[in-house]
Amino acid sequence: EELKFASFTPPFHTINASVIEKLNADLSAATNGDLTVRGYHGGELGAGPAEQYIRVLQGAADMSWGLPGYTSSQFGKTMISELPGAIPEDMPGYEALWRAYDKHLSQEFPGTKPLALWTSEPNIFIMRNKVIRTPADLAGLKIRVAGTTAAEVAKALGATPVQMPASQIYNAMQTGLIDGVITGASTLTDFKLDEVADALTLGAPLGRLAFYTVLNRGTYDGLSKDQKAALDAASGAGLSKSAEDAWLETATAALKIARADSANKVIELTDAEKASFAEAVSGVVEAYVDSVDGAATQAAMQGK
Amino acid sequence: MLSVIRKLADGLIALSAAIGALGLIVEVIILLADVIGRAFGAPIYGSQDMITMTMVIVVFGAMALCDREGGHISVDLFERSYPALLNRLIDIFSAVLGAVIFVGIAYAVNESAKLSVMLNLSTNLLRLPKAWFQNGLSIFALLTAAGMALRAIELTLSGRDIRKGDTAKGDTA
Amino acid sequence: MSASMIGFIGILVMFALLILRVPVALTMFSVGFVGITILDSSRSAMSLLASETFTLASSPELVVIPLFILMGNVASATGMSRKLYDAAYAVIGQLRGGLASATVIGCGGFAALSGSSVASALTMGKVALGQMDRFKYNTKLSTGVVAAGGTLGILIPPSTGFVIFAILTEQSIGRLFLAGVLPGIMLLLLFILVITVICWFRPEFGPAGPATSWRNKGKALLGAGPIVSVILLTIGGIYSGLFSPVEASAVGAGVVILVGFFTRTLSVKALWLAARDSVVTTATVMLILIAAHMINPFMALSHIPTAVGELLSGMGLGVTGTLILILAIYLVLGCFLEGFAMLVLTLPIFFPIIMALGIDPIWFGVLTVLTLEMGLISPPVGINVFIVKSVAPNVPLGDIFRGVLPFWLMMVLAVALLMFFPQIVLFLPNTMLG
Ligand code: NA
Ligand code: NA
C-alpha cells in the first residue's frame, strides 16, 4: 500500500528528507516494501497551506504536514509552544509538545493520528535598512506578522503589525512597504529573504513556529497489525526529532551564509539586551495562556 | 408557471449579484483605508481577514448572474458547423452538467463547513468563523445550480434560451 | 489500466468536451473530478472540490482580479479610457495600426504594476477593446493584441510567474525579475513589428486616422492626464513601498472612482453598474481558475509528469536538445493546463535535469515563463483568450484565437532569439547583480 503525503512546499524543502523520505524508508524497511509513502510536493494535491489538516481529515491525502499557526483557532493550546519564552530556550520543542500531547493537546487533533510534532529554530528579527538592538528601535516600524500572538508581540514591542501572505514578503521588504519580519532564519533561504534583508538580530525571545505531521485516522485503522506496528515505531518522538534537527540545521546553514555576506549586519543580543525584550513581551504570553486556559498545558510542556 | 418561477429566480439572481457588487465596493474601501492607515502607522487590524473572506462573496455572489447572462465561456469554434439540434442538446447537457457541478460544490463546501465548526476554524486575527463564508458560498452555488436547472428545463420544454434574451449580453453571433 | 493511461484518456475527454462547446470551467471540473475519483476516491475528489474552491475564492493574491476589472470598468464609465485613446489617436493614429501598437505599449506599462497576466489582459481589455472598436479596428486584431499583450504581465516585473519559478527552484527572485526586463521589451517591440506588418498588408485592420496638428495633440494629451496620472501614481506607489502590487489594484480602482466623483464624470448609479458588471466578469474568470486547479491533482495522481521526466532523462540528449524538448512539452501542456499549475507539476521533475546539464537556471526560467505565456494564448485552453472573451462576449472565440496567432508566432521567434542570444536574458542581472 502506498500512502499519499501532501506537501505544500517544493521537493527540496527540509520536510522532504527529514519526514517524508524518512517515513518512506523506515516503513518500507519494516514491512519489506509492503507499506510505502509517496510525496506530492508544491501543492500538487491541492493549493494552500491552510487546508492541510482538512485535506487529511477528509482523506484527499493520507498524510500531510502544516503549521498550527495558519489555523490558530483550531490549535489554541498547541500554539502555546510558539510563544516567546513559553518553552525554555534550551529545551527541544518536540519534547515539550509530546509531553503535553496526551493530556492537553490530543483533542485539538480530531480524526487524525499525529505522526510528528515539532518546533522550528527560534524566531529572529530579519530586517532591511533597520538595525534592532532594543525594543525602542522597533518604534513605528512595520513588521509582517502571521497570526494573533505574533501581532500582539509586535505591538508590545512598539512596532506596527502588518498582515500579508508569505509570498509577498520579498517584494514588500524590497520596496520598504515593511521594515522586516519576525520569523525563523530558514526563511532566509526558503523565501529568498537573504536577497533583501541586511540586518539580523538574534537572541531576542520572539518564540518559534510549531509544526505537525498527521495521518488520517481511518487510513491508520485500515492498516494490518504489522503495518500499524511499523507506523507506530516510525512515528512519534523519533520522527519529530528528525524534523526538528533538520529545521535547526537548515536555519544554521542559512545563518552561516548570512554571516559570511559582509553586506549583512548580524547582531547577537547580550543577556541584558535580551531581558529588555523579555520584559516587553511577558504580558502577551500571560494574556494568551490565560485566554486559552492553558496554564496546565504550559506547565506540562515545561515538564513541571 | 414557468414564467413565474423565472421571475422569482431572476429576482434572487439579481439580489445575489448585488451582494457581490457591494462586497467589491467594501473591498476597495477596506484596502484603501488599510493603505492610508498604514502610511500613518495605523493599519486596519485584521484587514487581510476581511479582504479574503469578503472575496468569497465577491467571487460567488454574481456566479448565478454570470450564467444567466451567458458569461461562462465555451469554445465556440465549431458552433456554426453543428446542426441546430446538436447545439440545443449541447446547451441542455451543459446546463444540466453545470447544475450538477454547482450542487456538488455546494454539498462539498457545506461538508467542509461542518468540519470547520468541529475544528473551530476562523480567520487568524479577527476570528471570523470560516463556516459562515463556506455556508455563504454554498448558498450562492445552490442558487447558481437552480438557475442552471431552470435554464435546462426552459431549453427542453420551450426551446427558450434565457441567455439570448433582451437583457442578455451573451454571445449571439 | 495504468494511472498514466487514465490521465491521458482524461486529457482526450477534456478536448472532446471542449470541442463540443461544453463551457470550459464545467469541462475542467468534470474531468478533474472524475479523474481524481478513478485514480483515488470520490471522497478525495469531494474534498478537493471543496478546498480548491474555497482556497482560491478567498486567496489574498487573487483579489487583484475583481479590483482591476473594477478599475477598468470605472475608467471606461468615466470616459477616462476614451480620453486615453483620443490622446493615443491624436499622437499615432495617423499610422496604420497605431492604436494597436499603443495598446501593446499600454500592456507593457500595466505589466510594470501587475504581476499577473490575467489581471493585465482583463484591465487592458476593459480599457482598450471598446476604444479600438470606436476607431474601427478589426476585432481579430484588437482582441489578439490584448490577449497577447496581457501576457507581458508575467515577463515584465513584478511577476507571479517568476516568483513561483524562483520558489520552486531555489533561484533568486531579484535576478529573475531583472532577467525578464529586456526579453519583455524585446517581445513588446516584436508585437509592434507584427502589428505594423499586418496593417501594412491589411490596412482595414487598423485604419489610419487623419493627421492632427500639434495643438490638437497637446489638447488630447492633456485630456488623458487623469488616467495617466493614476497609472503613474500606482506604479510609483509600488516602487516607493507605499503599497504592494496586490493593494495597487485597490488603489487604482479607488483613485479612479474618486477622480470620477470629483470631476463629476461618475455617478453613484454608474459606479454601481460598473461594480455589478465587474463581479460578473470576476465570476467567469475565477470559475475557470478554480476549475483549472481540479485538473492539477488529477495530473499529479496520474504520474504523467514523472513518466515524462524519466523518459527525458533516459534519452541522453544534449543541452539544446533537452531544452527544446522541455519547451516543446511546455507548449503541449500549455494547451490544456493553467500556467502556474503546470510549473508546480513539472518543475520539480525538469529542473534537476536542467541543472545536471549545466544550463543557466535564470536563462531557463525566462524561457519557461515565455513558453508559459504562449500557453496562455494557445487553444483550446488559452486562459488569456478566455479572459478577453469574457470582456468582449460578442467576438467569437475562434476570431480571438486567429487574432492571437501572429503574436504567438512572434513569441516563437522570441524564444528562438533568446536561445541563440542568452545575453539578452543575462545581461541585466549579470551587470547589475554581478
Ligand atoms: Na508584471
Ligand atoms: Na493554452
Side-chain angles (χ1 to χ4, degrees):
Chain A
E1 188 174 358
E2 185 178 86
L3 300 176
K4 291 190 291 292
F5 194 121
S7 172
F8 57 93
T9 48
F12 52 76
H13 190 272
T14 315
I15 189 78
N16 196 28
S18 68
V19 175
I20 306 176
E21 288 308 324
K22 182 176 178 353
L23 263 177
N24 183 39
D26 290 355
L27 291 178
S28 306
T31 60
N32 283 323
D34 187 29
L35 191 61
T36 56
V37 176
R38 183 180 187 125
Y40 288 84
H41 304 280
E44 283 182 323
L45 281 191
E51 296 277 335
Q52 295 297 85
Y53 192 87
I54 295 270
R55 207 159 270 143
V56 172
L57 192 56
Q58 292 190 319
D62 297 303
M63 309 173 183
S64 186
W65 75 286
L67 290 80
Y70 276 116
T71 51
S72 54
S73 54
Q74 177 188 344
F75 297 105
K77 290 189 169 139
T78 309
M79 289 295 288
I80 291 175
S81 62
E82 292 203 353
L83 295 172
I87 309 170
E89 221 172 285
D90 51 356
M91 181 187 284
Y94 74 93
E95 284 181 5
L97 283 164
W98 281 110
R99 257 201 302 269
Y101 178 76
D102 281 330
K103 217 170 147 198
H104 301 275
L105 308 180
S106 53
Q107 72 278 10
E108 291 181 351
F109 293 83
T112 67
K113 175 183 165 63
L115 302 181
L117 300 169
W118 71 102
T119 64
S120 69
E121 70 277 13
N123 287 336
I124 58 173
F125 289 109
I126 300 179
M127 311 294 295
R128 178 180 174 87
N129 294 333
K130 298 283 182 328
V131 180
I132 307 299
R133 283 182 188 283
T134 69
D137 294 332
L138 282 156
L141 296 193
K142 293 189 272 288
I143 303 289
R144 187 264 180 179
V145 298
T148 338
T149 43
E152 293 299 324
V153 166
K155 266 201 259 178
L157 293 171
T160 306
V162 175
Q163 239 183 328
M164 69 173 54
S167 59
Q168 289 176 25
I169 300 176
Y170 179 99
N171 205 55
M173 271 181 87
Q174 190 174 40
T175 62
L177 175 64
I178 53 171
D179 299 294
V181 285
I182 297 177
T183 187
S186 54
T187 52
L188 287 169
T189 43
D190 283 352
F191 287 97
K192 310 263 128 226
L193 297 190
D194 51 352
E195 292 177 23
V196 286
D198 59 10
L200 311 177
T201 301
L202 319 181
L206 297 169
R208 35 183 145 184
L209 301 175
F211 305 89
Y212 58 76
T213 289
V214 291
L215 168 71
N216 179 288
R217 179 57 72 177
T219 304
Y220 179 75
D221 292 340
L223 296 177
S224 72
K225 210 178 135 206
D226 288 349
Q227 289 173 329
K228 274 184 193 160
L231 201 73
D232 289 340
S235 62
L239 186 64
S240 309
K241 182 179 187 322
S242 162
E244 189 156 321
D245 289 348
W247 245 257
L248 295 177
E249 248 172 67
T250 304
T252 309
L255 276 177
K256 198 175 159 199
I257 296 169
R259 280 181 213 272
D261 184 347
S262 59
N264 288 332
K265 215 173 172 73
V266 182
I267 292 156
E268 306 258 12
L269 297 180
T270 64
D271 284 345
E273 287 168 329
K274 285 180 194 175
S276 64
F277 282 95
E279 196 186 346
V281 300
S282 64
V284 175
V285 181
E286 278 170 37
Y288 182 81
V289 172
D290 279 352
S291 74
V292 295
D293 195 13
T297 310
Q298 190 184 5
M301 283 179 180
Q302 292 173 338
K304 284 178 189 162
Chain B
M1 178 62 193
L2 214 51
S3 66
V4 175
I5 299 176
R6 166 53 63 193
K7 248 197 183 135
L8 179 72
D10 280 355
L12 286 174
I13 288 170
L15 174 68
S16 158
I19 295 172
L22 195 66
L24 182 54
I25 304 285
V26 170
E27 292 276 36
V28 175
I29 295 171
I30 298 172
L31 271 157
L32 274 185
D34 192 35
V35 167
I36 295 168
R38 191 177 54 213
F40 294 98
I44 296 183
Y45 185 75
S47 55
Q48 193 184 304
D49 292 3
M50 289 188 254
I51 290 159
T52 51
M53 291 303 117
T54 311
M55 171 91 167
V56 175
I57 297 162
V58 173
V59 170
F60 271 83
M63 199 56 81
L65 184 62
C66 182
D67 180 66
R68 167 75 175 74
E69 296 188 343
H72 290 307
I73 291 159
S74 53
V75 180
D76 56 8
L77 295 175
F78 305 103
E79 183 173 4
R80 268 171 278 188
S81 52
Y82 294 150
L85 179 67
L86 179 62
N87 272 325
R88 190 167 159 200
L89 284 176
I90 292 170
D91 282 340
I92 295 171
F93 171 77
S94 299
V96 172
L97 178 68
V100 170
I101 288 172
F102 273 92
V103 167
I105 290 175
Y107 174 78
V109 174
N110 186 253
E111 288 296 301
S112 284
K114 287 181 198 160
L115 290 182
S116 299
V117 172
M118 177 180 108
L119 298 176
N120 185 32
L121 293 181
S122 64
T123 63
N124 259 349
L125 257 54
L126 295 177
R127 296 280 182 238
L128 305 172
K130 188 177 174 187
W132 291 359
F133 299 91
Q134 290 176 313
N135 287 328
L137 195 161
S138 293
I139 292 169
F140 289 134
L142 275 182
L143 181 65
T144 310
M148 287 171 155
L150 181 60
R151 191 156 60 77
I153 293 168
E154 285 171 344
L155 278 164
T156 314
L157 295 184
S158 64
R160 179 188 181 206
D161 191 340
I162 193 72
R163 297 173 300 178
K164 293 172 183 169
D166 46 353
T167 54
K169 60 160 199 177
D171 184 10
T172 49
Chain C
M1 208 181 329
S2 75
S4 295
M5 200 59 194
I6 292 167
F8 192 66
I9 292 171
I11 294 167
L12 291 181
V13 170
M14 188 159 92
F15 274 39
L17 289 174
L18 286 175
I19 287 168
L20 278 173
R21 231 164 43 72
V22 176
V24 176
L26 301 183
T27 299
M28 293 195 287
F29 269 122
S30 336
V31 171
F33 190 93
V34 174
I36 295 164
T37 304
I38 294 171
L39 290 178
D40 192 329
S41 64
S42 61
R43 191 175 68 140
S44 167
M46 270 297 181
S47 164
L48 280 162
L49 184 62
S51 66
E52 295 303 277
T53 303
F54 194 82
T55 303
L56 287 173
S58 62
S59 151
E61 277 99 355
L62 292 178
V63 72
V64 298
I65 287 176
L67 291 169
F68 273 136
I69 297 173
L70 180 66
M71 174 176 159
N73 274 337
V74 174
S76 295
T78 53
M80 285 184 209
S81 309
R82 189 185 183 90
K83 285 182 178 151
L84 183 66
Y85 273 80
D86 282 344
Y89 198 65
V91 176
I92 50 171
Q94 68 269 33
L95 300 177
R96 285 180 194 170
L99 285 188
S101 300
T103 303
V104 167
I105 295 170
C107 287
F110 194 81
L113 70 88
S114 152
S116 138
S117 290
V118 169
S120 296
L122 273 170
T123 320
M124 287 308 292
K126 291 277 183 192
V127 169
L129 288 176
Q131 298 304 317
M132 284 193 275
D133 266 359
R134 184 158 68 96
F135 291 104
K136 306 278 178 279
Y137 273 58
N138 182 291
T139 50
K140 285 198 203 83
L141 179 65
S142 60
T143 52
V145 163
V146 171
T151 66
L152 291 169
I154 50 169
L155 196 54
I156 294 175
S159 154
T160 337
F162 282 136
V163 170
I164 293 178
F165 182 92
I167 288 179
L168 286 172
T169 60
E170 296 191 288
Q171 294 305 308
S172 154
I173 298 174
R175 213 166 255 282
L176 280 162
F177 274 13
L178 274 176
V181 173
L182 289 182
I185 295 172
M186 181 185 85
L187 188 58
L188 194 151
L189 294 175
L190 286 174
F191 284 170
I192 292 178
L193 177 72
V194 81
I195 290 168
T196 313
V197 170
I198 291 171
C199 294
W200 183 261
F201 289 104
R202 305 287 296 272
E204 74 280 10
F205 269 49
T212 46
S213 66
W214 285 105
R215 201 183 131 81
N216 282 345
K217 284 191 212 293
K219 229 170 102 184
L221 279 174
L222 215 60
I227 181 77
V228 172
S229 320
V230 171
I231 292 170
L232 292 180
L233 185 102
T234 314
I235 296 177
I238 292 175
Y239 287 94
S240 62
L242 268 179
F243 40 80
S244 70
V246 169
E247 291 162 340
S249 59
V251 172
V255 173
V256 168
I257 291 169
L258 291 177
V259 169
F261 282 148
F262 192 70
T263 57
R264 298 176 179 244
T265 49
L266 184 70
S267 63
V268 173
K269 180 154 185 249
L271 171 62
W272 181 249
L273 288 177
R276 187 187 156 285
D277 190 54
S278 302
V279 284
V280 171
T281 311
T282 302
T284 308
V285 174
M286 288 297 300
L287 197 67
I288 290 180
L289 291 182
I290 293 169
H293 272 78
M294 283 299 282
I295 298 291
N296 208 23
F298 171 38
M299 285 296 119
L301 290 167
S302 77
H303 305 314
I304 287 180
T306 320
V308 171
E310 278 163 9
L311 194 70
L312 195 64
S313 48
M315 284 164 83
L317 293 167
V319 169
T320 319
T322 309
L323 204 53
I324 290 178
L325 201 57
I326 288 184
L327 294 180
I329 291 168
Y330 277 152
L331 262 187
V332 175
L333 288 178
C335 290
F336 56 89
L337 276 180
E338 194 261 338
F340 298 150
M342 192 164 94
L343 285 187
V344 166
L345 281 179
T346 59
L347 269 184
I349 293 150
F350 289 166
F351 196 68
I353 302 174
I354 290 293
M355 291 309 269
L357 286 171
I359 294 172
D360 187 291
I362 300 291
W363 183 45
F364 176 66
V366 172
L367 287 170
T368 301
V369 166
L370 189 53
T371 319
L372 214 80
E373 288 183 68
M374 298 171 70
L376 287 170
I377 55 171
S378 59
V381 181
I383 303 279
N384 262 29
V385 171
F386 299 152
I387 298 301
V388 169
K389 169 80 180 167
S390 75
V391 181
N394 291 321
V395 182
L397 204 62
D399 279 7
I400 310 179
F401 275 126
R402 272 189 286 273
V404 140
L405 183 65
F407 298 97
W408 190 87
L409 292 173
M410 285 300 109
M411 290 168 145
V412 177
L413 180 61
V415 169
L417 284 171
L418 296 187
M419 296 267 293
F420 282 109
F421 305 104
Q423 308 91 293
I424 303 173
V425 173
L426 299 173
F427 176 74
L428 275 187
N430 287 352
T431 47
M432 293 181 71
L433 297 174

